[in-house]
Amino acid sequence: MNRLFTADIVTNEQLDNRYFALQVTPNVAICETLAGQFFMLKSGEFGEYTDPLLLRPFSLASFIHPDDTYPNGLLMFLIDAVGKGTNILKRLPVGTRLNIIGPLGRGFPPVADDERLLIAAGGIGIASVLGLNKMYHGVPLFYGVRSRGQMIECTNSNIQVASDDGSIGDKGSVLALLERHISQLRQSYSGKIKIYACGPHGMYKAMFKMNLDADVYVALETPMACGVGTCLGCAVETTSGLQMVCKDGPVFNLKDIIWGG
Amino acid sequence: MNLSVNIGGLKLKNPVITASGTFGYGVEYEEFLDLNQIGAITVKGLSQHPAKGNLPGRIWETPCGMLNAIGLQNIGIDAFIKEKLPELRKYDTKIIANFFGDTIEEYAEAAARLSAAEGIHALEMNISCPNKQAGWIAFGTDPALTEKVVAAARKATELPLIVKLSPNVTSIADMAKAAVDGGADALSVINTITGMAIDIETRRPRLSNIVGGLSGPAIRPIALQMVFQTFKAVKVPIIGMGGIMTGGDAIEFIIAGASAVAVGTANFVNPAASIEILKGIKDYMARHQIDDINTLTGGIIC
Ligand SMILES: Cc1cc2nc3c(=O)[nH]c(=O)nc-3n(C[C@H](O)[C@H](O)[C@H](O)COP(=O)(O)OP(=O)(O)OC[C@H]3O[C@@H](n4cnc5c(N)ncnc54)[C@H](O)[C@@H]3O)c2cc1C
Ligand SMILES: Cc1cc2nc3c(=O)[nH]c(=O)nc-3n(C[C@H](O)[C@H](O)[C@H](O)COP(=O)(O)O)c2cc1C
């Protein structure tokens, strides 16, 4: 098994004016990936394109297991085209060969039988929790989007949606829905609640301040260079000192992170 | 085809070295490439005591390059010798221990302690990190102080002593001469170039340290020119580095005067970059019927 491999684009589908879904098939068998882990992607041959220079980190949104057509399976990434690198990826035609490193980092920890899991996603953060959504079928999913157009389809009969403009679900923050759900759940359940969340930094800070009655794990994003723990660039301040998002994370316990002002 | 080189007493099977701070302690990369094929591994800069480094906001990508202000975070010399070195000894490659201190005494002590450990083949002395405070930076920018600190480390070690020069100086030739006068067996040229970037929306610097070191292909022409100036100024071998991504880039440094090359930021873009660069060097030698890489050093035709 190899964590340094090439993969070819199978589909590159525009979802709205910013989001796109990129499906690639690796040219070798790859390692098993846990929800919350990520891959670093570059377009073109290594060393050939020097601007943008570094690889870009993306969570694995889904993995389709090997079959006759794709003997090494299919990796799917959901990407928000925010800058230079992501806009290049968005325009790449089917068949383009990408250089990839991964899976990297530590995913979401396993959930014990006597624990209740809730999943929360904000915006493109849905990418990182889609795997969980599939694995823990039917677990409540709280999903916040800017508006209807940005919502990624996900099969979950237990989904609650909120949008900034009210065009789908509740108008406002998805965290209000999450908080309400927890207090309802607490009327009949006193055991452990776990929340696995992925979204923007502001969402995590808000969750930290809300002091939710649950064990919250979040997937962090910081600029990265190597992705494997050697450049020491993606440091984050935790209660036990500096840790590396790429190696010690990207999933951290919310209360271990020093959120600052 | 002869690829072996002698860098001030350090004999390498080929001229490709991984640059300090871009290859961890080496072992992290064993899954990505055959470490036995690399000429030498330079480990992350070590100090007497473990160092925490700078606060987050440590890297930022810029056109064809990246800024870093890691702040020399490292596990310390003792932990390196105990935990990492035994792993590294399993490989048939040479280990260069990069180190730094905050005072002349600390440099000398660090050099002595690293020399006493089994499995370190050379020392690379970092006097050129742009992320340190003003007083420290003088080690790499004031020739008199450079000579003094190098001389102190020289007395403390029998191992080949490589001094890593800063590009953030008026005359790299003067700095090179000072390091050689202090007793350097070889020179590494260059460390990162001081730079910065600002988030215009918030007006805040991208790096918590405000300034950082620029590396990657963006600095290659500057590094190349400095290798060339150094080659003209001193007789000791030069390890050329700064934005090397391909075998062709490495050859360019060798023609300018380098006896070996170090691969830095390219490791982040491709963990197996050093192997591909070595392959590129061999292809070039075959294409130009060069039997011995040493004959190409300084072979620029002006
Ligand atoms: C572990 C991890 C998982 C991620 N998963 C996803 C995902 O599934 N889908 C998705 O759309 N995005 C994801 N991101 C964010 C994504 O990596 C950035 O949006 C992307 O790197 C931006 O690149 P750019 O060139 O388009 O942007 P630019 O703004 O041009 O990038 C400039 C530099 O900053 C870095 N950078 C900018 N924003 C971020 C960011 N939020 N996180 C990390 N680096 C950043 C870039 O890598 C680049 O080096 C993830 C980030 C991390 C760390
Ligand atoms: C993230 C990072 C960390 C570095 N850490 C060190 C270090 O600890 N000691 C040192 O002497 N040089 C350090 N360097 C400098 C490199 O070894 C090299 O001199 C420089 O990056 C230029 O080469 P490049 O353009 O190929 O990266 C570091 C560079 C980077 C990018």
Side-chain angles (χ1 to χ4, degrees), chain B residues 239-276:
Chain B
I239 303 171
M241 66 191 81
I244 294 175
M245 304 294 286
T246 66
D249 300 341
I251 292 290
E252 201 180 0
F253 275 83
I254 293 171
I255 293 173
S259 296
V261 293
V263 180
T265 302
N267 295 310
F268 303 152
V269 182
N270 174 9
S274 45
I275 301 292
E276 281 173 31

Side-chain angles (χ1 to χ4, degrees), chain B residues 134-209:
Chain B
W136 193 90
I137 286 175
F139 287 131
T141 54
D142 170 358
L145 199 54
T146 300
E147 186 178 337
K148 218 162 142 188
V149 70
V150 172
R154 171 74 290 165
K155 275 199 215 92
T157 184
E158 308 259 277
L159 289 174
L161 181 65
I162 304 159
V163 176
K164 187 157 177 181
L165 299 184
S166 169
N168 307 306
V169 294
T170 313
S171 165
I172 192 93
D174 289 350
M175 301 310 299
K177 283 181 204 149
V180 172
D181 288 345
D185 297 310
L187 300 172
S188 279
V189 181
I190 57 175
N191 207 319
T192 54
I193 300 175
T194 312
M196 66 188 282
I198 300 171
D199 178 349
I200 60 168
E201 301 307 319
T202 62
R203 295 202 215 168
R204 289 182 187 280
R206 295 289 190 182
L207 302 174
S208 70
N209 193 54

Side-chain angles (χ1 to χ4, degrees), chain A residues 87-146:
Chain A
N87 274 297
I88 290 174
L89 283 170
K90 184 168 101 170
R91 289 191 297 267
L92 292 179
V94 168
T96 307
R97 181 151 291 188
L98 301 179
N99 292 288
I100 301 183
I101 311 175
L104 301 168
R106 303 197 306 183
F108 289 100
V111 181
D113 286 343
D114 60 348
E115 294 173 331
R116 294 282 183 92
L117 178 66
L118 308 175
I119 306 172
I124 199 67
I126 192 72
S128 162
V129 298
L130 275 184
L132 291 170
N133 185 53
K134 200 163 154 191
M135 190 167 139
Y136 299 104
H137 197 74
V139 156
L141 170 64
F142 298 83
Y143 183 12
V145 292
R146 282 192 306 274

Side-chain angles (χ1 to χ4, degrees), chain B residues 90-158:
Chain B
K90 292 184 205 149
Y91 293 99
D92 176 24
T93 184
K94 295 291 161 74
I95 305 303
I96 303 173
N98 180 290
F99 72 100
F100 67 96
D102 280 335
T103 60
I104 291 180
E105 294 71 36
E106 275 184 31
Y107 268 104
E109 252 169 74
R113 276 169 66 192
L114 286 164
S115 307
E118 187 198 331
I120 294 174
H121 305 96
L123 301 184
E124 181 179 66
M125 185 172 175
N126 180 6
I127 52 165
S128 48
C129 178
N131 304 322
K132 300 280 284 185
Q133 60 290 35
W136 193 90
I137 286 175
F139 287 131
T141 54
D142 170 358
L145 199 54
T146 300
E147 186 178 337
K148 218 162 142 188
V149 70
V150 172
R154 171 74 290 165
K155 275 199 215 92
T157 184
E158 308 259 277

Side-chain angles (χ1 to χ4, degrees), chain B residues 17-47:
Chain B
I17 304 171
T18 59
S20 178
T22 65
F23 208 66
Y25 300 103
V27 285
E28 295 92 330
Y29 282 89
E30 60 194 0
E31 69 167 292
F32 297 118
L33 72 170
D34 179 6
L35 298 177
N36 299 304
Q37 288 187 41
I38 310 180
I41 293 170
T42 314
V43 300
K44 175 72 191 164
L46 297 162
S47 50

Side-chain angles (χ1 to χ4, degrees), chain A residues 164-177:
Chain A
D164 293 347
D165 63 0
S167 57
I168 186 160
D170 274 28
K171 185 171 164 49
S173 166
V174 72
L175 295 180
L177 297 177

